């Protein structure tokens, strides 16, 4: 173990510093990285898979892959780009596997594939609450029908607040292609949701 790995870890350490410590043999750095990024990785993977258990499993696998590749990490780019590239690859692999092994879950919470239950706004009438819930389901269904590359780009853009160059690095395309994917996704969603009134 190198000398810096013997120094105490701090929650204020940057992600790159933690990866450096991890590569040097300080496995406690992994705990901090997981605390910081587990929820965001799982949320991203949920948007890609529409299944909470699968998202949690893939998020755990993302951190396993991160740990396995700790010596290959190079701090030139942003850590989030590196982490989400792993998550994107796992989500793609899962989608390919699922397309070859279709199943129907007996435990599915709702027939539309969504499983997030939100408390209704107490200021809404039951009719308004039902209309809002139906609009949210329509948006979720439309989002899930996007082609995988467009859904990945939109999820990273909207929920991870990433720019075109970061999305391009994760998706393995040019920044212009990332911008085009987001534009196409918006156009598809706009067309599919044109009948929904705000």
């Amino acid at each position: 173990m190198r000398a810096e790995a013997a120094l105490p870890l701090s929650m204020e350490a940057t992600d790159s510093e933690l990866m450096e410590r991890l590569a040097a043999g300080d496995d406690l750095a992994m705990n901090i990285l997981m605390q910081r990024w587990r929820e965001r990785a799982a949320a991203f993977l949920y948007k890609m898979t529409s299944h909470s258990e699968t998202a949690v499993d893939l998020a755990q696998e993302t951190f396993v892959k991160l740990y396995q590749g700790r010596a290959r990490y190079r701090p030139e780019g942003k850590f989030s780009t590196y982490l989400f590239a792993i998550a994107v690859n796992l989500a793609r692999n899962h989608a390919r596997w699922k397309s070859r092994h279709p199943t129907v879950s007996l435990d599915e919470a709702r027939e539309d594939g969504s499983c997030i239950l939100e408390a209704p706004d107490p200021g809404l009438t039951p009719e308004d609450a039902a209309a809002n819930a139906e609009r949210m389901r329509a948006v979720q269904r439309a989002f899930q029908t996007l082609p995988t590359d467009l859904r990945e780009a939109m999820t990273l853009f909207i929920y991870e607040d990433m720019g075109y160059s970061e999305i391009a690095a994760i998706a393995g395309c040019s920044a212009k292609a990332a911008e085009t994917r987001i534009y196409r996704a918006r156009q598809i969603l706009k067309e599919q949701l044109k009948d929904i009134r705000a």
Side-chain angles (χ1 to χ4, degrees), residues 57-193:
D57 290 345
L58 290 175
Q60 289 176 336
E61 193 174 342
T62 298
F63 287 103
V64 169
K65 297 281 188 197
L66 180 71
Y67 182 80
Q68 291 170 340
R70 65 193 179 278
R72 291 188 303 273
Y73 174 75
R74 298 292 172 256
E76 289 83 34
K78 290 176 88 174
F79 174 78
S80 59
T81 304
Y82 185 76
L83 181 71
F84 281 101
I86 295 170
V88 162
N89 286 332
L90 289 172
R92 287 176 184 167
N93 291 344
H94 175 74
R96 278 193 292 273
W97 184 89
K98 195 172 176 183
S99 71
R100 290 189 301 261
H101 304 88
T103 60
V104 176
S105 172
L106 298 177
D107 300 323
E108 203 61 50
R110 296 197 301 225
E111 64 185 49
D112 66 0
S114 61
C115 61
I116 294 178
L117 299 176
E118 296 179 10
D121 183 342
L124 294 177
T125 66
E127 294 82 15
D128 289 342
N132 279 350
E134 183 54 39
R135 277 193 291 273
M136 288 303 296
R137 283 191 293 275
V139 170
Q140 287 176 340
R141 281 191 301 267
F143 195 81
Q144 289 304 314
T145 64
L146 289 172
T148 303
D149 59 337
L150 303 185
R151 193 168 67 242
E152 285 171 3
M154 282 296 283
T155 301
L156 293 169
F157 185 74
I158 294 171
Y159 298 103
E160 294 304 321
D161 199 27
M162 291 187 178
Y164 299 138
S165 59
E166 289 176 276
I167 295 168
I170 291 169
C173 63
S174 69
K176 186 63 179 169
E179 182 179 359
T180 301
R181 288 177 186 183
I182 291 166
Y183 174 79
R184 285 180 47 218
R186 284 180 171 157
Q187 295 306 308
I188 291 169
L189 291 172
K190 186 176 175 182
E191 178 62 27
Q192 288 183 355
L193 301 171

